[in-house]
Amino acid sequence: MDGKELLFKDVQDKRMDFIKSFHEYWTNNAFLTWQWWLLLLTTIIMWIIWVKNVDKKRTQLILNYGLIFGIFSFIFDMVGTNHGAWAYPIRLYWAFIPPLVPFDLTYLPVIFMMVYQRYGQRWTYFLIALFFTSVVISFLIEPLFHMIGIYVMYKWKYIYSFPIYIFLACFVKVLVELINKKLH
């Protein structure tokens, strides 16, 4: 083995030690806690609400919006987590990366799909709805998750999330509408 291979093996060994430690932590401190059950139940409930309320005529368009939103949310969460801006002591499955899959692939996409469905036809209403939705998520839901121990911030503040939600929702709206125009 050359120097690079040895160095990478050392990094990989440390990563495996971390994974083993985190699995042990998750098994003993997160799995089946009331917070874990809350994540599981709210994930299921959010999708039931979405299925019951989605505009069946526009399901594909709205689902595309949510899928793209979820992908970007997932990527941003991975970057933030890996840079140590925040962490999730409680997660549904110990090996999820990013760890808070319910938030990235359920809560945010479903909430913003519902906003897009209801207000996405006109930019003015959409922006107003995004403002209030982003306020609720940034200053109520994130602090609640922090308070109950699901979310821990290290190099992050709630105010940073607020414009990101608005920007991301607008960007995804433009992207989905461009894609939809190309297809039709």
Side-chain angles (χ1 to χ4, degrees):
M1 276 191 193
D2 69 5
K4 281 185 188 177
E5 288 175 350
L6 285 173
L7 182 59
F8 184 76
K9 184 179 178 335
D10 185 46
V11 169
Q12 185 65 6
D13 289 345
K14 288 176 182 172
R15 182 177 170 271
M16 295 311 293
D17 288 343
F18 165 76
I19 288 171
K20 182 180 174 195
S21 295
F22 192 82
H23 179 256
E24 187 176 316
Y25 165 82
W26 180 81
T27 303
N28 295 324
N29 298 287
F31 184 53
L32 301 179
T33 62
W34 69 270
Q35 295 98 325
W36 184 90
W37 284 106
L38 178 71
L39 286 174
L40 180 65
L41 292 174
T42 54
T43 298
I44 295 166
I45 290 168
M46 290 292 289
W47 283 112
I48 290 170
I49 290 169
W50 183 81
V51 167
K52 288 185 178 269
N53 291 293
V54 69
D55 179 349
K56 306 297 187 242
K57 295 175 187 157
R58 297 175 35 213
T59 301
Q60 184 178 2
L61 180 69
I62 295 164
L63 199 53
N64 287 344
Y65 181 90
L67 180 63
I68 294 169
F69 195 101
I71 289 168
F72 280 109
S73 176
F74 191 87
I75 291 167
F76 288 150
D77 199 4
M78 240 185 332
V79 170
T81 302
N82 288 335
H83 281 281
W86 57 79
Y88 303 104
I90 308 291
R91 48 177 94 168
L92 284 183
Y93 182 62
W94 66 275
F96 280 158
I97 298 188
L100 203 56
V101 169
F103 205 73
D104 297 328
L105 299 180
T106 296
Y107 305 156
L108 292 177
V110 168
I111 290 167
F112 283 98
M113 279 190 291
M114 295 179 93
V115 169
Y116 178 71
Q117 174 179 298
R118 176 76 172 95
Y119 301 102
Q121 305 293 330
R122 294 187 55 200
W123 272 103
T124 305
Y125 296 133
F126 186 65
L127 290 172
I128 292 167
L130 286 182
F131 176 84
F132 288 108
T133 302
S134 297
V135 164
V136 169
I137 295 170
S138 300
F139 303 114
L140 294 175
I141 295 175
E142 285 186 15
L144 175 65
F145 273 46
H146 179 78
M147 186 176 71
I148 64 175
I150 292 174
Y151 173 54
V152 179
M153 294 181 306
Y154 297 109
K155 302 180 221 171
W156 196 254
K157 296 183 180 178
Y158 303 122
I159 190 71
Y160 301 161
S161 299
F162 174 73
I164 292 171
Y165 292 134
I166 293 173
F167 171 78
L168 183 57
C170 290
F171 176 75
V172 171
K173 177 178 171 17
V174 169
L175 190 59
V176 165
E177 289 174 0
L178 284 172
I179 292 168
N180 196 40
K181 244 184 215 180
K182 292 275 186 195
L183 295 175
H184 297 96

